[in-house]
Amino acid sequence: MVLAMISTFLFPILSAGAELMVGAAAGAFAKSAGADAFKALKKRLREDHDVASIDLLEQAGEKPAYAEAIKADLDAANLEADPEVKRLAETILAVIEALPDRKHPVALEAEEIRARGNQIFRGVDGIRAEKIVSDTGDQTFENIKLGKT
């Protein structure tokens, strides 16, 4: 069976992987097989399938035209015939699904918060981080809002 629009399957996985590579959840994702699969998939799409627009993925969240260009390039490539693309995407998806639940906003989530001085949090809607550390002084968080979901 050939997928008519491979981008409907692949683009959300790639977008989530890109967000996890740079976001607060990067720690758990970066330490997993998901990060390796994400890098390998981007490389395969670029080098083996000429999806040059994949290099715009990290900016696609803020620039809808980039997202549309990536989706069009994914749909134009013959990705259905490449089982490695499917395997890498499924690896990324499995790792994402195994991450701690990120659907529910929290005021603050961190494994370690440490500061030599004062810690001040104001208007914080949600932060996720493995560590929040200041060895030299105060930490101040003001008016932090939830990111895009």
Side-chain angles (χ1 to χ4, degrees):
M1 178 179 169
V2 175
L3 295 173
M5 301 290 282
I6 191 79
S7 65
T8 59
F9 165 73
L10 200 51
F11 185 77
I13 294 170
L14 287 164
S15 295
E19 186 175 321
L20 289 168
M21 291 294 285
V22 299
F29 188 77
K31 296 174 188 172
S32 71
D36 292 337
F38 176 76
K39 291 173 192 172
L41 180 55
K42 278 185 65 178
K43 181 179 180 184
R44 189 169 192 88
L45 292 171
R46 183 185 319 102
E47 294 178 5
D48 295 353
H49 296 284
D50 298 318
V51 180
S53 62
I54 199 67
D55 292 330
L56 304 173
L57 184 62
E58 286 75 9
Q59 301 166 46
E62 289 98 32
K63 298 185 179 183
Y66 288 5
E68 293 307 314
I70 295 166
K71 290 176 188 177
D73 286 351
L74 290 171
D75 289 334
N78 187 23
L79 301 178
E80 296 88 356
D82 186 344
E84 184 66 6
V85 168
K86 182 180 179 191
R87 186 191 70 75
L88 291 168
E90 287 174 344
T91 299
I92 296 165
L93 184 58
V95 170
I96 290 170
E97 289 175 345
L99 289 173
D101 185 9
R102 304 271 181 213
K103 295 177 186 171
H104 304 290
V106 296
L108 181 71
E109 178 183 308
E111 288 183 23
E112 177 182 356
I113 301 174
R114 181 170 28 103
R116 186 169 291 268
N118 296 315
Q119 293 179 322
I120 301 167
F121 304 92
R122 289 187 186 115
V124 177
D125 288 323
I127 295 176
R128 283 190 167 87
E130 194 168 305
K131 292 182 181 182
I132 301 173
V133 177
S134 174
D135 292 328
T136 59
D138 296 342
Q139 291 182 346
T140 304
F141 297 80
E142 293 181 356
N143 300 319
I144 304 297
K145 302 294 179 200
L146 288 176
K148 296 177 184 174
T149 56

